[in-house]
């Protein structure tokens, strides 16, 4: 109460009987609004061209996987029931999110020849069911991928209202199961 004080808080903390404005006034403080002024300072940055980020290689030694992302991924522990680590990178500039996850298969886990397609169809179905509570996603495309180190599947989903696309590639090799994904608005 000896000198003027400037306090900045989020708008949700201000209104109501238990809001910051009412509580400060009840305590005897004088509260006044500081009107925002337009300086034009941000306009000089909007004109700057966006520079694409350089893509960098990362490795998952246990799975023999090398992949590239436009920024360093962060590890998210204990994803789902598998307890596996998922790595994620979010590019705020483009609005795209990138995901990489791998699961080592135990030595006794093998799929019979020809059952890989069924395995991927089952995974796809389970993923679609898990996405139901996150919006109205529909399957846009699903196709098999033949790679030198294993078989795979590319799946694309789209959420109509937000124009959000999810594109995933899943690979099954003798070392394990690998998921690569990108999601965001307007992915081609």
């Amino acid at each position: 109460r000896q000198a003027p004080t400037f306090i900045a808080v989020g708008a949700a903390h201000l209104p109501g009987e238990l809001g910051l404005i009412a509580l400060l006034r009840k305590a005897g403080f004088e509260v006044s609004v500081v009107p925002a002024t337009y300086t034009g300072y941000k306009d000089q940055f909007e004109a700057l061209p966006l520079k694409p980020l350089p893509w960098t290689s990362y490795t998952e030694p246990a799975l023999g996987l090398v992949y590239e992302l436009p920024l360093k991924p962060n590890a998210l522990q204990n994803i789902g029931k598998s307890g596996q680590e998922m790595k994620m990178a979010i590019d705020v500039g483009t609005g795209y999110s990138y995901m990489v996850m791998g699961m080592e298969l135990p030595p006794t886990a093998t799929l019979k020849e020809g059952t890989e397609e069924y395995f991927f169809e089952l995974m796809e179905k389970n993923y679609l069911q898990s996405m139901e509570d996150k919006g109205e996603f529909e399957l846009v495309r699903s196709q098999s991928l033949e790679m030198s180190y294993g078989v795979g599947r590319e799946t694309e989903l789209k959420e109509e209202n937000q124009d959000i696309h999810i594109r995933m590639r899943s690979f099954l090799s003798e070392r394990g199961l690998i998921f690569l994904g990108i999601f965001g608005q307007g992915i081609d």
Side-chain angles (χ1 to χ4, degrees):
R1 294 185 193 214
Q2 295 175 358
T5 304
F6 177 82
I7 299 173
V9 296
H13 299 284
L14 299 176
E17 291 179 26
L18 297 176
L20 193 55
I21 294 171
L23 294 174
L24 286 170
R25 286 185 175 150
K26 283 180 189 176
F29 289 93
E30 182 182 328
V31 180
S32 59
V33 175
V34 177
T37 57
Y38 176 75
T39 63
Y41 183 69
K42 73 170 184 72
D43 293 341
Q44 65 182 315
F45 296 103
E46 289 179 351
L48 295 175
L50 291 175
K51 294 180 184 175
L53 295 169
W55 286 58
T56 305
S57 292
Y58 301 95
T59 61
E60 298 292 333
L63 296 169
L65 175 65
V66 177
Y67 59 94
E68 291 186 348
L69 291 177
L71 52 147
K72 185 177 179 181
N74 293 311
L76 306 171
Q77 300 290 330
N78 300 321
I79 303 302
K81 295 177 184 175
S82 67
Q84 298 298 314
E85 181 177 86
M86 177 171 66
K87 295 195 174 149
M88 194 154 199
I90 300 171
D91 184 348
V92 178
T94 62
Y96 295 161
S97 296
Y98 303 88
M99 180 211 49
V100 177
M101 186 171 85
M103 292 188 287
E104 291 181 72
L105 297 178
T108 57
T110 56
L111 289 176
K112 293 180 183 175
E113 185 75 30
T115 61
E116 297 94 347
E117 194 66 27
Y118 173 73
F119 173 77
F120 286 115
E121 287 173 11
L122 190 59
M123 269 185 20
E124 200 171 82
K125 179 182 173 187
N126 288 336
Y127 188 75
L128 276 167
Q129 286 177 342
S130 73
M131 294 301 290
E132 284 179 357
D133 62 340
K134 295 174 179 70
E136 296 287 328
F137 282 89
E138 68 174 280
L139 181 64
V140 174
R141 182 170 52 100
S142 179
Q143 65 186 37
S144 296
L145 301 171
E146 294 290 330
M147 309 300 284
S148 60
Y149 52 86
V151 296
R153 172 83 118 207
E154 182 173 83
T155 305
E156 185 177 347
L157 307 172
K158 182 178 180 184
E159 197 276 334
E160 287 295 325
N161 298 330
Q162 302 291 325
D163 190 32
I164 295 174
H165 287 179
I166 299 173
R167 182 174 295 158
M168 299 176 298
R169 285 188 172 183
S170 308
F171 299 98
L172 188 60
S173 73
E174 57 190 42
R175 290 180 132 180
L177 185 59
I178 300 165
F179 300 96
L180 306 171
I182 179 172
F183 49 96
Q185 288 188 327
I187 295 173
D188 294 326

